[in-house]
Amino acid sequence: MEHITKRFPGVLACDDISIHVGEGEVLALVGENGAGKTTLMNILMGLYQQDEGRILINGEEVRFRGPEDAFAAGLGMVHQQYMLVPNMTVTENVALGYQQAWKPLKLDLKMVRDRVIEISEHYGLQVNPDAYIWQLSVGEQQRVELVKTLCLGARFLILDEPTSALTPQETDELILLLKRMKDELSIIFISHKLNEVKALSNKVTILRHGKVVFNGETDDYSPQEIAALMTGHEVQLPENKEPDMHGAPALVLKDVCVRSDRGFLALDGLDLTVHEGEIVGLAGVSGNGQRELAEAINGLRSVERGTITFFGVNLANKNPYYVIDHGMGYIPEERNVEGIVPPFAIRENFILKDSDRERFSHLSFLKKKSIEENAKRLRDDFDIRCPGTSTSAGSLSGGNIQKVILAREITRAPKFLIAVYPTRGLDMGAIEFIHRELLKKRREGIGILLVSEELDEIINLSDRIAVIYKGKIQKVLPHAEANRRNLGILMAGVNEDE
Amino acid sequence: MDFVVNLLAMCVPFSVALLLASIGEMFNQRAGVFNLGCEGVMAMGAFIGMLVPFMIGKGGEVANYWNYLGILAAVMVGALLGLFFGLIVVTFRAPQGIAGIGLQMFGVGTAGTLFRHFVGGTQSVVGIPNSPVPLLSKIPVVGDIFFNHNLLVYFAFLFVPVAWYILFKTSWGLKVRAVGTYPRAADSMGINVNKTRYQALMLGGALAALSGAYLSLAQAKMFSQSLIAGRGFIAVALVYFGHWHPVQIMGGALLFSLAQTFQAAIQGLGINFPYEFAVMLPYVLVIVVLSFTSRNQTTSPSALGKPFNREIRT
């Protein structure tokens, strides 16, 4: 690909990008969210048309009008969001692109099925050709995507953040698989997880703001160097090394019982205290009651028993407005569903919790000017990359959406903050930014409850670490005593004291 | 016994208009387009269907095959209206609900206006005669119920398995289901989403117009502006009722028609029963059944009603 340029309304997504991949090579395409990686690959697949530049395959210029032309040239892409029709079988999904099986009056599903079995045996990718997509786990769906792409004759594979939705074990399996496959195929591998890049690729190209900033051999550089090139500055995830603030208790949960959506006790007599000026990390395998805990505190889920004391007020079974009014800040788990209203403009998302306050409205008429000023200020302070404050929040990348939520919650001057998986799926630069902001709030004397699965995140930031298991706090460890090993054991439900 | 046989023998041809229109609507919706304009397309089909033999015979009797020319013309007009609807909702991405209501008004209004211009007042036509199936129609009970109708009735019921085959066993059906459920995935596989939707809309329009022509030429044997009488909307409801599956849609069409013929029959019997309630019966039935069956909508085409734009991420 040479000198590719692509503009979207208000954004220059790709700015004069050139990359090349040789036969049997694995190129890692690295960059922050919104750097233009996916756009570039969509151009390569013929899904978007470039405004400038050309694509050469084996020295010949090609022009793809759509993905079918790209398939014919031996290209195949596994998209980050899987392109599988959920209420169809694996075979039917493959048949969608397998035109040899499209007989005039009949779709030859048997032929497709045989092809699926042949490919999955050849590459050791286990899939059941008759399973419906909705029955499969995320890892299985990924295998289906790979099989599908290979069935269509891909000799050149594009993988867009293939590990972002996988569990650690599934990720390891995928990396092994791709290592085997790279003898037969050329691969472009998009990622921002640098250990994977190191493990898999020969060459690395780094994009930033739609431009190529670096090209090189993977082996010559350390993950730190690549991270620095990716974000444009040294990435040093901050650590909480500050003295204890000796704050008063801010949030005290006593014997809290809450039911899950399916009716069983998700929190079963949970006790936890968070002080002012303290970060308490809540570690645990997801699904052990973290979601229900956050929802119960924020008035989104009814509490069956127990008290949630917040600066002397019981929050149990109150409505969200009451909780917000008492100074609670909340960064929810599902940023696209609970954190923002995706079709609303960024500036509107900033005032979701304050639209009826005098600052933004008068007699229920919105004050356009102060809303706009507020949005511009937050955008600049939090480095939110967007075409304008009237852009819909849902069209932003994950990292920028999280910054919108963080900006709203922090600048409302909360007395307390609950952050649920605040950095899930984000790139290094965004993680660093969010960690620094959380530590800044702690220094200001605000208590923070940090829910996370990432042990490094918890260990780096927390003053104390509480391990949750099956709706109970297993143990609370001071920062100095916690390490990956003993946290891992506690998260698995083993309590050595007993 | 005679009462029941009569009831069933009436119910079968009565369900044909609903069946054809809702199978057509099913193809639209499976491809992700919600077409509320079904009623309007039916009105146009009904008008064109009767106009052709009427003009050829100058208002008098005509040979039966001219009726089929009328049906052919109606089907072509229906496909054109489907194409026109596609232009509005697929290419220009207009909101489908509003555009559908527009199409409904356009179709009913245009058919009525042209009818007054070319025909004038209500005028009955000879229409399509019954063609009893040799031998089979002689079977007691079953023969009267199933095999003593006009050709369009047989066609409509034979088309149900054909529609099933098209939808689930051909590559075109696969494409239709994919663009209605997850157009982005279909697009990434090189399938032309908009083209597939246009094709489905043309097929749906043709079937809706055929349904209208059946009403004017075979069932009522006349045309009036209120001939369709909401059947287009019932057809849309039947698609939900039948969970986008041809056989279940057929069941829904038969059930609704049975209720309809039943209520007509009790009025005819002269039982002292307020007729308003009898007329309500089929509609109440649809509402009740819909409210019980529509909870589990896992089969629904999830992209229904959403225009597709490759370069806009949602």
Side-chain angles (χ1 to χ4, degrees):
Chain A
M1 300 181 88
E2 290 181 347
H3 309 295
I4 300 288
T5 297
K6 173 76 183 172
R7 298 177 198 90
F8 285 116
V11 208
L12 186 60
C14 297
D15 185 4
D16 194 21
I17 295 178
S18 300
I19 58 168
H20 50 89
V21 186
E23 207 161 312
E25 271 184 341
V26 180
L27 171 74
L29 197 58
V30 180
E32 301 189 276
N33 300 120
K37 297 163 296 188
T38 303
T39 307
L40 186 67
M41 292 302 107
N42 280 335
I43 291 170
L44 184 52
M45 287 305 293
L47 279 164
Y48 295 167
Q49 300 297 321
Q50 68 269 33
D51 296 325
E52 282 161 35
R54 55 194 196 135
I55 301 169
L56 301 166
I57 292 179
N58 297 330
E60 269 179 57
E61 182 166 352
V62 289
R63 186 115 204 148
F64 296 147
R65 278 160 297 132
E68 62 277 16
D69 294 346
F71 295 148
L75 268 61
M77 176 162 174
V78 175
H79 295 258
Q80 185 180 6
Q81 194 187 4
Y82 299 146
M83 292 298 177
L84 298 168
V85 183
N87 56 4
M88 287 189 187
T89 64
V90 172
T91 304
E92 286 180 314
N93 267 287
V94 175
L96 275 174
Y98 200 66
Q99 303 201 1
Q100 292 97 305
W102 294 6
K103 308 278 164 60
L105 282 175
K106 191 178 186 305
L107 178 66
D108 195 347
L109 279 176
K110 191 176 171 305
M111 176 174 160
V112 182
R113 195 172 177 277
D114 291 345
R115 174 83 176 156
V116 169
I117 291 169
E118 180 197 326
I119 291 288
S120 74
E121 279 171 2
H122 180 81
Y123 289 98
L125 284 154
Q126 274 192 343
V127 295
N128 172 5
D130 304 316
Y132 282 92
I133 300 301
W134 55 265
Q135 297 170 322
L136 303 178
S137 72
V138 175
E140 288 171 313
Q141 289 188 25
Q142 172 131 48
R143 283 205 292 275
V144 175
E145 276 281 13
L146 281 170
V147 168
K148 182 177 93 175
T149 311
L150 294 167
C151 280
L152 302 182
R155 282 163 287 124
F156 189 109
L157 211 55
I158 302 165
L159 304 170
D160 190 356
E161 300 197 17
T163 59
S164 59
L166 301 185
T167 65
Q169 292 90 328
E170 287 171 332
T171 303
D172 293 345
E173 280 169 27
L174 180 72
I175 300 274
L176 278 177
L177 179 81
L178 291 177
K179 274 187 178 163
R180 280 207 309 271
M181 282 165 56
K182 75 181 183 188
D183 303 334
E184 298 179 34
L185 304 161
S186 307
I187 298 175
I188 294 183
F189 177 76
I190 300 183
S191 185
H192 48 237
K193 294 188 183 159
L194 300 175
N195 47 351
E196 292 165 13
V197 170
K198 285 291 287 181
L200 201 61
S201 64
N202 320 106
K203 290 199 309 180
V204 57
T205 294
I206 300 177
L207 298 186
R208 195 185 329 138
H209 303 328
K211 282 199 181 74
V212 175
V213 292
F214 173 79
N215 259 315
E217 301 285 322
T218 315
D219 291 342
D220 301 347
Y221 298 89
S222 72
Q224 285 73 25
E225 285 170 303
I226 297 173
L229 287 160
M230 187 170 107
T231 51
H233 57 87
E234 282 299 317
V235 175
Q236 185 82 57
L237 287 181
E239 282 182 41
N240 181 357
K241 286 184 180 150
E242 286 155 42
D244 193 349
M245 307 267 291
H246 300 290
L251 180 74
V252 183
L253 292 105
K254 270 217 157 45
D255 193 28
V256 174
C257 291
V258 170
R259 286 197 186 277
S260 77
D261 290 339
R262 276 182 284 167
F264 60 85
L265 276 180
L267 297 182
D268 187 6
L270 181 130
D271 296 300
L272 185 66
T273 304
V274 186
H275 300 87
E276 288 184 280
E278 175 187 52
I279 297 182
V280 172
L282 188 69
V285 178
S286 70
N288 273 293
Q290 293 96 322
R291 155 181 283 272
E292 287 81 3
L293 175 66
E295 289 180 351
I297 298 171
N298 284 287
L300 296 164
R301 190 173 283 275
S302 58
V303 177
E304 202 143 283
R305 203 178 72 214
T307 55
I308 302 171
T309 315
F310 185 60
F311 294 102
V313 186
N314 186 4
L315 293 184
N317 295 319
K318 292 287 195 298
N319 60 38
Y321 186 88
Y322 183 90
V323 177
I324 293 167
D325 215 33
H326 279 76
M328 184 68 81
Y330 179 34
I331 298 170
E333 177 177 356
E334 305 251 0
R335 62 180 75 107
N336 286 313
V337 183
E338 301 168 284
I340 57 166
V341 182
F344 276 25
I346 294 168
R347 57 168 179 245
E348 290 163 341
N349 272 292
F350 279 140
I351 62 156
L352 283 182
K353 289 186 171 176
D354 299 300
S355 58
D356 59 349
R357 283 172 223 262
E358 193 54 33
R359 199 176 145 210
F360 295 122
S361 65
H362 181 63
L363 300 171
S364 86
F365 290 100
L366 290 172
K367 293 180 182 168
K368 212 175 154 196
K369 222 162 129 194
S370 50
I371 292 171
E372 181 61 28
E373 275 166 14
N374 176 59
K376 285 213 171 107
R377 194 168 47 79
L378 294 187
R379 181 189 64 187
D380 297 342
D381 289 356
F382 286 82
D383 185 30
I384 295 162
R385 303 209 190 109
C386 54
T389 56
S390 58
T391 312
S392 70
S395 66
L396 300 177
S397 68
N400 283 312
I401 290 175
Q402 198 69 326
K403 283 179 182 175
V404 169
I405 299 170
L406 190 74
R408 179 183 69 214
E409 297 300 325
I410 286 183
T411 54
R412 295 184 69 254
K415 293 197 279 185
F416 194 87
L417 199 57
I418 297 175
V420 188
Y421 307 114
T423 59
R424 192 186 259 178
L426 302 189
D427 61 65
M428 294 287 279
I431 293 174
E432 184 194 11
F433 182 89
I434 286 168
H435 284 182
R436 286 195 193 286
E437 288 296 324
L438 291 177
L439 285 175
K440 206 159 94 192
K441 282 283 131 187
R442 178 195 174 276
R443 236 171 285 136
E444 289 168 17
I446 285 173
I448 298 173
L449 178 62
L450 171 70
V451 180
S452 181
E453 279 182 300
E454 296 281 338
L455 287 180
D456 290 334
E457 177 169 83
I458 294 233
I459 292 171
N460 280 348
L461 296 180
S462 308
D463 295 286
R464 291 187 300 138
I465 296 159
V467 179
I468 189 169
Y469 179 74
K470 289 196 173 167
K472 280 196 180 85
I473 297 297
Q474 188 77 350
K475 196 171 184 189
V476 182
L477 295 171
H479 177 250
E481 287 175 24
N483 56 46
R484 293 184 69 96
R485 204 188 77 83
N486 59 17
L487 287 179
I489 291 171
L490 285 167
M491 281 163 67
V494 183
N495 198 336
E496 286 167 338
D497 297 350
E498 284 165 9
Chain B
M1 186 63 194
D2 269 359
F3 176 74
V4 176
V5 173
N6 272 336
L7 206 63
L8 292 174
M10 270 166 70
C11 149
V12 167
F14 203 79
S15 66
V16 166
L18 289 174
L19 180 60
L20 287 170
S22 49
I23 295 281
E25 181 72 22
M26 179 199 75
F27 278 109
N28 292 345
Q29 295 201 6
R30 278 280 186 173
V33 184
F34 179 65
N35 187 355
L36 262 184
C38 188
E39 176 100 356
V41 181
M42 284 173 74
M44 281 300 282
F47 167 67
I48 299 287
M50 73 80 70
L51 182 72
V52 170
F54 178 82
M55 297 297 268
I56 287 167
K58 299 197 172 57
E61 283 195 31
V62 284
N64 188 25
Y65 52 81
W66 293 118
N67 287 325
Y68 294 102
L69 186 70
I71 283 172
L72 190 68
V75 164
M76 283 183 344
V77 168
L80 280 176
L81 284 171
L83 197 67
F84 172 63
F85 192 63
L87 189 70
I88 296 168
V89 299
V90 176
T91 302
F92 298 136
R93 304 192 189 105
Q96 295 176 2
I98 300 298
I101 293 173
L103 181 65
Q104 179 252 328
M105 289 169 143
F106 172 81
V108 173
T110 309
T113 306
L114 293 177
F115 175 71
R116 279 192 296 279
H117 180 77
F118 286 108
V119 184
T122 306
Q123 177 90 37
S124 60
V125 292
V126 180
I128 298 173
N130 276 4
S131 317
V133 181
L135 300 177
L136 291 178
S137 60
K138 298 285 180 269
I139 307 170
V141 183
V142 179
D144 277 340
I145 298 175
F146 294 108
F147 300 109
N148 196 5
H149 302 298
N150 61 64
L151 291 179
L152 286 178
V153 176
Y154 308 135
F155 171 80
F157 281 92
L158 287 176
F159 193 70
V160 172
V162 173
W164 174 84
Y165 186 87
I166 291 174
L167 199 54
F168 293 104
K169 297 287 161 191
T170 68
S171 57
W172 186 73
L174 187 76
K175 287 194 264 183
V176 166
R177 287 185 288 142
V179 302
T181 310
Y182 194 179
R184 197 162 286 276
D187 187 38
S188 82
M189 299 293 277
I191 289 165
N192 189 331
V193 174
N194 288 354
K195 186 173 138 196
T196 310
R197 288 187 168 173
Y198 266 107
Q199 290 165 343
L201 280 171
M202 287 175 74
L203 176 61
L207 285 167
L210 176 63
S211 150
Y214 172 83
L215 279 175
S216 66
L217 283 174
Q219 188 171 316
K221 302 197 173 160
M222 55 86 110
F223 180 85
S224 80
Q225 199 164 357
S226 56
L227 176 67
I228 313 298
R231 285 189 182 83
F233 293 104
I234 298 289
V236 175
L238 283 175
V239 176
Y240 287 81
F241 183 101
H243 286 115
W244 297 269
H245 192 284
V247 176
Q248 292 178 48
I249 286 172
M250 179 178 76
L254 283 169
L255 182 68
F256 183 80
S257 304
L258 187 65
Q260 195 73 275
T261 37
F262 180 69
Q263 69 88 4
I266 21 181
Q267 286 187 58
L269 287 178
I271 303 168
N272 190 13
F273 182 76
Y275 80 94
E276 291 90 346
F277 286 100
V279 175
M280 266 164 59
L281 179 73
Y283 302 93
V284 172
L285 186 78
V286 166
I287 291 170
V288 169
V289 179
L290 263 182
S291 55
F292 279 105
T293 53
S294 52
R295 252 178 258 157
N296 178 20
Q297 295 288 22
T298 48
T299 47
S300 76
S302 44
L304 184 58
K306 293 176 197 147
F308 177 67
N309 186 345
R310 181 186 273 176
E311 301 210 349
I312 288 186
R313 292 184 222 167
T314 44

